[in-house]
Amino acid sequence: MSYRAPVSELRFVLDHVVGFDRVTATDTFAEATPETVDAILTEAGRMCADVLAPLNRQGDLHPARLENGVVRTSPGFADGFRAIAEGGWLGMSADPEHGGMGLPIALTMAVNEMMGSACLSLQLNPLMTQGQIEALEAHASDEIRDLYIPKLISGEWCGTMNLTEPQAGSDVGALRTKAVPNGDGTYAVTGQKIYISWGDNDFSENVCHLVLARLPDAVEGTKGISLFMVPKRIPDADGTLGVANSLKVVSLEHKLGLHGSPTAVMQYDGATGWLVGAPHKGMAAMFTMMNNARLGVGVQGLSIAEAAMQHAVGYALERRQGKTASGDGTILDHADVRRMILGMKAETFAARAIAMDCAVSLDMAKATGDAGWRARGAFLTPIAKTYGTETGMKVAAEGIQVHGGMGVIEETGAAQYVRDVRVTAIYEGTNGIQAMDLVGRKLMDGGAAAFALLDEVEAFEDDDLRAAASHLRVLTDWMVAQDMQDRFAGAVSYLAAFARVLGVWHHLKAAAADEARAPLARFAAGRLLPEALAEIAKARTGAGELYAVPTEVVAA
């Protein structure tokens, strides 16, 4: 089944569920008129369905490969990337000063969702570039911004971020890559990085690596990390490319999924780099890019959920097997298949609404400078990332079940969604780390951001929703009073409960705006609210029971 871009669904969520009109009412985003939004979503949807979607299977069957030090991308990916770049989609939210459109991040995420559904392996490339643009806008010198951002926006150059090292994993503070001053304002960067998404390609003139490294006088841990721009080819001041830098792709990872996306082991051997931001403040600069990417990865999970759902529905509308509720209908008339499809639709909608709500909060924070909007966006980011990717994995797996035995036959395409989406729960901070961030850093305000969000939920007139939100409020109070070990033990459940309560809230708002959506909203509430209550109970068990089981039993 071919992919259909859900343009009308995206527009409905923006207009009737997450209050996008508040964003466009600001001076910052006044140019995002309804006509502009319609034109952008329609044109992007057409590109995704017609140009990118046909590449998805090509990337899976013909992975990116490394030949004599040169990365060869999957068939058609160069043309697909060119369509993305020429459409202006790389710089949607970038500053117009450097050639961007200056549009809301919510609109960028809507377009990214469609690109991810069409071909996630390729969409990962622009996601990295978009994040790098944002990091450079916030932290780089004028010289670096003026040189790099226009090239990144045009697609002439691509961006990456280099954090992980073999010995460090998620513990970024344990990195060993060094940066030594050259005496001319540049630095010699030496070290190895792993898991570098789109570490190289054969369709852009240059690949620009943001690399975390330590200066000679740096302290241990994350406080001693600096950020450097290290390009594949060293440009002149006017952007003319000169000699190759002292870096190379050592190998490409052989992955479970996303075969069309080259994930590189990168080696830097005294490569020339330029400091981005202040010395020893690299993590703050990199987190600008990572937070953009965390929401973006949540949207990637949502992308796969949408694509897998469409694939499953298409199959269920064609496959005839057994006696159905209507006598001789397709398997969509079987109660259990209908249960699966409705569950897929309910959670995909909830994940989309949470992600768009997060994006609207970030847009409002940028447009108004209001600390409340900033805190709201920060609180929603780990929820959007985790619930989006968990939903992607769940819906993709359910899609295989709808297909039955045909689901595990590669030719049907259902299995690819499962393989492609799995890593989204791991990269840009594992979902466990997201949950720990939620109950740790995001509750350092004593729960103020959480309570403010729950105030909004409880203002909606629905007794079941209010009851669940009230239980979540009590749990938040409990979390704030606990030490970190007990918080961490219940972190995943706390996040899961919050996501489900928010998801039902958004469903009910949708039903209030369109009565035809009421049956799905009732279905969602009947499934997600009981799950939320169960997660709330689990979140309060603390760490004691985890460590009461002897290590020898755990490891047996």
Side-chain angles (χ1 to χ4, degrees):
M1 174 186 169
S2 58
Y3 167 70
R4 303 183 313 277
V7 172
S8 60
E9 185 72 2
L10 286 163
R11 191 65 208 259
F12 179 86
V13 170
L14 289 171
D15 289 346
H16 300 292
V17 180
V18 299
F20 184 64
D21 59 321
R22 294 172 294 181
V23 175
T24 58
T26 66
D27 291 340
T28 303
F29 297 117
E31 293 187 10
T33 63
E35 295 77 18
T36 298
V37 172
D38 281 339
I40 285 173
L41 293 179
T42 299
E43 184 57 34
R46 183 181 300 114
M47 175 196 68
C48 292
D50 297 345
V51 179
L52 302 188
L55 303 177
N56 195 46
R57 192 66 174 151
Q58 289 294 313
D60 193 50
L61 294 175
H62 306 285
R65 64 194 189 280
L66 184 64
E67 290 183 350
N68 300 318
V70 178
V71 171
R72 304 296 185 190
T73 56
S74 301
F77 272 39
D79 291 336
F81 179 79
R82 194 170 300 113
I84 294 170
E86 291 176 354
W89 309 120
L90 292 165
M92 286 184 64
S93 294
D95 194 327
E97 179 184 354
H98 294 110
M101 295 185 189
L103 292 168
I105 192 69
L107 200 50
T108 296
M109 290 299 115
V111 172
N112 282 0
E113 182 202 318
M114 293 188 286
M115 287 198 292
S117 293
C119 185
L120 186 57
S121 285
L122 183 54
Q123 187 269 335
L124 189 53
N125 181 301
L127 180 67
M128 294 294 98
T129 296
Q130 289 166 350
Q132 186 172 112
I133 290 169
E134 186 173 8
L136 294 179
E137 285 180 342
H139 301 284
S141 65
D142 288 342
E143 292 78 12
I144 289 178
R145 283 200 295 263
D146 293 345
L147 175 58
Y148 283 86
I149 294 178
K151 296 288 189 180
L152 293 167
I153 288 173
S154 70
E156 294 170 81
W157 298 355
C158 292
T160 76
M161 61 177 173
N162 288 231
L163 291 80
T164 309
E165 297 182 7
Q167 79 290 343
S170 296
D171 183 11
V172 179
L175 68 82
R176 298 173 184 162
T177 299
K178 298 294 185 183
V180 179
N182 287 324
D184 60 357
T186 67
Y187 297 80
V189 178
T190 301
Q192 188 176 96
K193 299 289 185 176
I194 62 172
Y195 304 147
I196 309 307
S197 297
W198 281 96
D200 199 5
N201 66 72
D202 56 1
F203 50 67
S204 66
E205 295 178 356
N206 206 5
V207 180
C208 310
H209 302 285
L210 281 181
V211 182
L212 290 179
R214 292 187 189 282
L215 292 168
D217 61 343
V219 300
E220 294 297 315
T222 56
K223 293 182 179 180
I225 296 175
S226 300
L227 183 63
F228 300 86
M229 170 61 76
V230 188
K232 176 183 175 182
R233 295 180 62 191
I234 299 175
D236 294 336
D238 63 358
T240 301
L241 294 178
V243 301
N245 211 341
S246 301
L247 58 87
K248 63 180 179 180
V249 177
V250 176
S251 63
L252 297 183
E253 305 290 1
H254 300 282
K255 300 174 296 183
L256 173 69
L258 295 180
H259 294 157
S261 169
T263 301
V265 175
M266 298 296 303
Q267 182 68 39
Y268 298 89
D269 295 307
T272 302
W274 286 260
L275 184 67
V276 174
H280 316 307
K281 300 296 183 182
M283 285 304 296
M286 185 62 89
F287 263 111
T288 300
M289 186 173 185
M290 288 180 66
N291 283 331
N292 174 296
R294 284 175 174 174
L295 174 57
V297 170
V299 171
Q300 287 185 331
L302 161 63
S303 296
I304 293 296
E306 174 67 33
M309 179 183 70
Q310 288 190 21
H311 202 79
V313 170
Y315 182 80
L317 285 170
E318 296 174 354
R319 174 67 168 165
R320 294 179 181 274
Q321 184 176 355
K323 187 175 182 180
T324 68
S326 61
D328 61 351
T330 67
I331 63 170
L332 188 62
D333 285 336
H334 286 299
D336 189 55
V337 173
R338 186 163 291 233
R339 172 193 63 79
M340 289 189 283
I341 296 292
L342 286 174
M344 296 162 82
K345 295 181 83 69
E347 298 219 49
T348 298
F349 176 90
R352 177 180 289 119
I354 290 171
M356 291 298 109
D357 193 14
C358 180
V360 163
S361 298
L362 299 176
D363 285 326
M364 291 300 295
K366 179 177 180 178
T368 66
D370 181 76
W373 279 115
R374 188 160 51 250
R376 192 179 190 276
F379 189 84
L380 283 171
T381 295
I383 298 175
K385 192 276 184 183
T386 300
Y387 187 60
T389 57
E390 295 285 348
T391 297
M393 292 190 298
K394 182 177 181 179
V395 170
E398 203 81 290
I400 284 184
Q401 197 71 17
V402 169
H403 281 76
M406 292 302 294
V408 297
I409 304 301
E410 286 287 354
E411 284 78 3
T412 66
Q416 183 184 343
Y417 296 123
V418 175
R419 291 185 285 101
D420 283 354
V421 76
R422 185 60 184 87
V423 72
T424 62
I426 296 172
Y427 59 28
E428 305 311 329
T430 67
N431 286 0
I433 289 175
Q434 302 299 321
M436 292 164 69
D437 173 60
L438 184 67
V439 302
R441 198 176 285 113
K442 299 305 190 294
L443 291 184
M444 287 176 65
D445 61 358
F451 295 139
L453 193 52
L454 289 171
D455 287 342
E456 295 182 52
V457 175
E458 290 174 340
F460 194 92
E461 295 186 4
D462 183 271
D463 291 342
D464 291 336
L465 177 65
R466 284 176 169 174
S470 178
H471 285 296
L472 198 49
R473 183 180 293 274
V474 172
L475 174 60
T476 302
D477 268 328
W478 181 88
M479 278 284 180
V480 170
Q482 305 309 304
D483 63 28
M484 281 300 174
Q485 245 351 51
D486 284 329
R487 291 195 203 185
F488 290 163
V492 167
S493 288
Y494 179 76
L495 188 151
F498 229 115
R500 281 154 179 77
V501 168
L502 293 176
V504 170
W505 176 46
H506 291 312
H507 266 290
L508 293 175
K509 285 190 291 182
D514 179 2
E515 189 176 342
R517 294 173 179 264
L520 183 61
R522 287 193 295 270
F523 176 90
R527 267 66 177 178
L528 297 182
L529 289 183
E531 289 179 7
L533 296 176
E535 296 292 352
I536 287 170
K538 288 192 290 183
R540 297 191 61 156
T541 56
E545 68 173 14
L546 299 178
Y547 294 97
V549 181
T551 299
E552 56 268 25
V553 174
V554 177

